[in-house]
Amino acid sequence: MSDAVSILDEVAAALEPYGLVPRGGLVFDEVDQAPPPGEGMIAKSVVLVGHYGSSIWPHFMEWRQWHPNMIDPLDAWSKQALSEIAADFGAKSVFPSDRPYLPFQQWAGRAEGLRTSPLGMLIHPEYGLWHAYRGALLFDHPVAFPTHHAPACHPCDTCAEKPCLSTCPAGAFNSASFAVDSCRHHLAGPQGATCMDGGCLARLACPVGRGHAYAQDQQRFHMAAFAGI
Ligand code: SF4
Ligand code: SF4
């Protein structure tokens, strides 16, 4: 694993059985500063780990059969998978749920050149809103990332209608904020069954990457987790 580029290839191979992929990364500098040293590691670079579409879902569901009744099971699955892989690579795994929060969204935007949609989540030019980051690997040396070219055009810049902002039946979104209480109130009532069963209607209204939308049972899982059910 001495060659930095081959490390990315080997990380990709280690992630593949989980349906996870490396999603770029960055070498820390004065602008993108490393997180505080933890457990002896001074991080020099970070590799983001996540998925596109529903690639993790069958792997997570199989694991879940053997790990019932876990609190926040997707986070637990991610931590188990990435902690084992990190140990194999002499890296340190970190997660979006860690406290204090790490700047995952900032790292992710830099790693893949993605920008934020009006819904607050990053939008990918191919996968739209149907992708996520499950964690990251910190390395004590600078990983040599292949040159990536930021998408020439941010999908939301050319989306005249912006249906994501007008579809929510609770009116929870505007271009500046998300009224989380309005959303949760709607979900708790009978009218919320459509979102609870099939996913957030505002997210589903986005035309970008619609073919990669999560499967219904995955939508239901995420909605139940969000609603705290
Ligand atoms: S509907 Fe349009 S503005 Fe909204 S997230 Fe999708 S591309 Fe962006
Ligand atoms: S889950 Fe439903 S109520 Fe909540 S923001 Fe999405 S569309 Fe609106």
Side-chain angles (χ1 to χ4, degrees), residues 116-119 121 123 129 154-165 202-203 205-208:
T116 308
S117 72
L119 300 189
M121 57 189 77
I123 185 163
L129 303 171
H154 177 47
C156 302
D157 288 346
T158 53
C159 178
E161 301 288 328
K162 296 192 174 13
C164 60
L165 290 177
R203 194 171 175 182
C206 176
V208 181

Side-chain angles (χ1 to χ4, degrees), residues 35-184:
E39 296 169 22
M41 175 188 277
I42 298 175
K44 295 287 176 56
S45 55
V46 58
V47 175
L48 277 296
V49 174
H51 63 89
Y52 302 112
S54 289
S55 62
I56 61 166
W57 197 244
H59 307 282
F60 167 65
M61 289 302 281
E62 185 178 349
W63 174 90
R64 201 178 179 197
Q65 288 179 10
W66 303 100
H67 301 81
N69 307 318
M70 293 203 69
I71 298 169
D72 203 346
L74 188 54
D75 198 41
W77 173 81
S78 304
K79 286 180 172 169
Q80 181 175 317
L82 284 193
S83 299
E84 290 174 7
I85 291 170
D88 289 344
F89 284 86
K92 182 182 178 206
S93 54
V94 290
F95 302 91
S97 59
D98 288 347
R99 304 290 192 281
Y101 289 120
L102 292 165
F104 264 84
Q105 188 136 342
Q106 182 183 322
W107 289 347
R110 296 266 288 123
E112 289 186 312
L114 306 187
R115 283 170 48 194
T116 308
S117 72
L119 300 189
M121 57 189 77
L122 294 172
I123 185 163
H124 189 283
E126 180 178 350
Y127 296 94
L129 303 171
W130 307 106
H131 66 102
Y133 299 88
R134 300 300 333 155
L137 300 173
L138 298 176
F139 288 85
D140 63 2
H141 57 269
V143 170
F145 295 99
T147 305
H148 83 82
H149 301 286
C153 175
H154 177 47
C156 302
D157 288 346
T158 53
C159 178
E161 301 288 328
K162 296 192 174 13
C164 60
L165 290 177
S166 58
T167 304
C168 172
F173 286 107
N174 62 40
S175 57
S177 64
F178 171 48
V180 63
D181 289 345
S182 300
C183 169
R184 287 211 165 101

